[in-house]
Amino acid sequence: QNRFTSIDSSIGQLKALETLTVYENGLTGPFPSGIGSLVSLRRLSMHSNQLSGPIPSVVGQLSRLTDLNLSFNDFSGPIPTEIGRLGELSSLELRSNKLQGPLPGELGNLVSLKTIRIDDNDIKGAVPEEVCSSFESFLPSFYLDCGTRLGEAELSCPTGTCCMFCCTDGRGCGCAYEPEEQWLCFNV
């Protein structure tokens, strides 16, 4: 919560750094290049800035990450498939960006997830079968845009499967389960 507008690439020299929290600053431009070298990083929170461009595939090299929060920025393009390499990730927050394209099936590799938020983006299509079949075994809190906007669902997800919270842009999120199963939304 400072007024940083950039992060110098020399930050990549801090090989033992485990937590980088630079949320609610004035960071602009692309994802900082030096962060991909932070091999010990466990938590990365860069939410609520004005970072733009694609989320680079180098994020997949941060194999020790448990928490990744890039929400409330201007990231665009697809979710990189390399995020599926982050096997220790328990929280993935990418909501409120301008991400597009289909949901990558590699997200099904994230078997330690407790929370995944990809709502309030422009991701369209169907949730891949490999994601739902993987998520059913541990049932993370999964927020996505499966509500309807102007009568058209952004992401389709079979009812009662891995999609726990259906969101609609500008209207919020609600439990996707039938009333008799809604206890699942509160017991994760």
Side-chain angles (χ1 to χ4, degrees), residues 27-48:
L27 298 177
T28 60
F31 189 87
S33 61
I35 292 177
S37 300
L38 300 175
V39 294
S40 298
L41 205 58
R42 310 261 319 145
R43 287 174 291 287
L44 176 58
S45 182
M46 301 178 76
H47 69 83
S48 305

Side-chain angles (χ1 to χ4, degrees), residues 19-168:
T19 301
L20 179 58
T21 304
V22 288
Y23 63 87
E24 295 181 16
N25 277 284
L27 298 177
T28 60
F31 189 87
S33 61
I35 292 177
S37 300
L38 300 175
V39 294
S40 298
L41 205 58
R42 310 261 319 145
R43 287 174 291 287
L44 176 58
S45 182
M46 301 178 76
H47 69 83
S48 305
N49 282 289
Q50 291 126 26
L51 294 167
S52 59
I55 297 172
S57 60
V58 72
V59 170
Q61 295 174 10
L62 303 174
S63 60
R64 296 194 63 212
L65 273 184
T66 58
D67 297 286
L68 176 61
N69 190 340
L70 302 176
S71 297
F72 301 102
N73 277 290
D74 291 319
F75 287 116
S76 59
I79 295 174
T81 58
E82 290 82 2
I83 284 182
R85 295 182 192 159
L86 304 177
E88 295 183 35
L89 204 61
S90 66
S91 177
L92 175 62
E93 301 236 6
L94 302 176
R95 68 181 164 152
S96 297
N97 278 290
K98 296 174 181 167
L99 298 172
Q100 309 152 319
L103 196 63
E106 288 81 359
L107 292 179
N109 298 335
L110 303 177
V111 297
S112 297
L113 277 180
K114 292 185 173 115
T115 302
I116 177 170
R117 291 207 67 161
I118 58 167
D119 52 298
D120 197 17
N121 279 291
D122 292 320
I123 299 169
K124 300 199 184 319
V127 174
E129 178 61 37
E130 58 266 36
V131 172
C132 274
S133 62
S134 174
F135 284 6
E136 284 178 353
S137 63
F138 55 94
L139 205 60
S141 294
F142 187 12
Y143 293 78
L144 68 162
D145 292 329
C146 55
T148 58
R149 184 179 67 191
L150 304 174
E152 184 179 317
E154 290 183 45
L155 268 168
S156 61
C157 188
T159 304
T161 58
C162 67
C163 305
M164 188 168 288
F165 295 98
C166 282
C167 307
T168 303

